[in-house]
Amino acid sequence: MRIHVVDHPLVAHKLSTLRDRRTDSPTFRRLADELVTLLAYEATRGVRVDPVAISTPVSETTGVKLSYPRPLVVPILRAGLGMLDGMVRLLPTAEVGFLGMIRNEDTLEPSTYATRMPDDLGGRQAYVLDPMLATGGTLIAATKLLLERGALDVTAICLLAAPEGVKIMQEAFADTEANVTVVTASIDERLNEHGYIVPGLGDAGDRLYGTAG
């Protein structure tokens, strides 16, 4: 498994504002959208393309187009939905699937409650959207599901990651032949006793949708 931390001043700037507890939900959504687009630029460096003949106003030349089958973008509900627009802005022709997963706050184990994607992902590249790589359980389960359905490789885009989550992801996919990558804006200090990333940015879903108690 490969981990890629995007080191860019604009990424750091937007992430800093996202972390600020004073940032309201509309601003948080806008900045998250912008940050995802920046992360997606790095995450799609390996997207498969095929050559295509094109005619410019001046001459004939060869360009590229996305290979078929198209990439699949999979936001993990609910917080991953807040990352979808920023991702498909770069991949407008990608197909979109949905994966509903919830973490038990006592055991921290994930469970799946909804799946809306093709049963056969043979040869597909998949991009999973989940704001947080915290304990790693949700992302591991989502990645395994995509690989079991035949995905060629899986890239997870996360706003933040915890070292504990990175470690368990690396252990989970250490022996797999599949290409698994995590692209993130930061690897933070640690997880707290409740499984939240420190310093983190709080509950991404609550901050995206203004549902914090």
Side-chain angles (χ1 to χ4, degrees):
M1 193 205 86
R2 187 174 73 94
I3 179 81
H4 177 47
V5 180
V6 179
D7 182 15
H8 192 284
L10 285 179
V11 169
H13 166 70
K14 295 180 189 299
L15 179 58
S16 296
T17 306
L18 284 175
R19 292 187 191 275
D20 194 330
R21 64 188 303 172
R22 297 169 298 180
T23 300
D24 59 24
S25 289
T27 304
F28 191 95
R29 285 194 296 270
R30 176 176 58 81
L31 288 171
D33 179 82
E34 294 172 358
L35 180 54
V36 170
T37 299
L38 292 173
L39 296 178
Y41 180 81
E42 292 295 327
T44 54
R45 282 188 179 275
V47 69
R48 293 184 302 164
V49 295
D50 293 324
V52 59
I54 56 175
S55 300
T56 78
V58 179
S59 69
E60 305 297 315
T61 189
T62 301
V64 298
K65 64 177 180 179
L66 291 180
S67 298
Y68 186 84
R70 300 288 190 231
L72 181 71
V73 177
V74 183
I76 296 180
L77 308 178
R78 69 176 169 154
L81 279 177
M83 304 171 67
L84 182 57
D85 287 348
M87 184 68 188
V88 298
R89 185 173 296 116
L90 281 190
L91 288 176
T93 60
E95 294 183 14
V96 178
F98 296 94
L99 186 57
M101 306 190 79
I102 190 168
R103 186 178 72 168
N104 185 299
E105 294 303 325
D106 294 323
T107 66
L108 303 183
E109 293 297 318
S111 59
T112 302
Y113 64 86
T115 305
R116 295 292 183 272
M117 66 181 72
D119 291 330
D120 182 7
L121 299 177
R124 301 283 287 272
Q125 290 179 299
Y127 296 89
V128 180
L129 308 180
D130 195 9
M132 304 293 177
L133 171 52
T135 61
T138 298
L139 201 51
I140 288 172
T143 301
K144 285 184 175 179
L145 176 61
L146 292 166
L147 293 176
E148 287 168 0
R149 294 194 180 194
L152 177 70
D153 57 58
V154 178
T155 298
I157 301 176
C158 306
L159 303 181
L160 290 179
E164 295 90 338
V166 171
K167 182 174 184 291
I168 197 171
M169 280 283 292
Q170 290 173 327
E171 292 172 350
F173 298 105
D175 298 324
T176 184
E177 296 181 359
N179 296 318
V180 177
T181 303
V182 173
V183 177
T184 185
S186 174
I187 299 178
D188 277 14
E189 295 174 11
R190 60 184 174 85
L191 292 178
N192 66 15
E193 63 275 16
H194 303 294
Y196 281 88
I197 299 175
V198 178
L201 48 76
D203 187 298
D206 285 343
R207 297 196 66 191
L208 280 164
Y209 303 115
T211 54

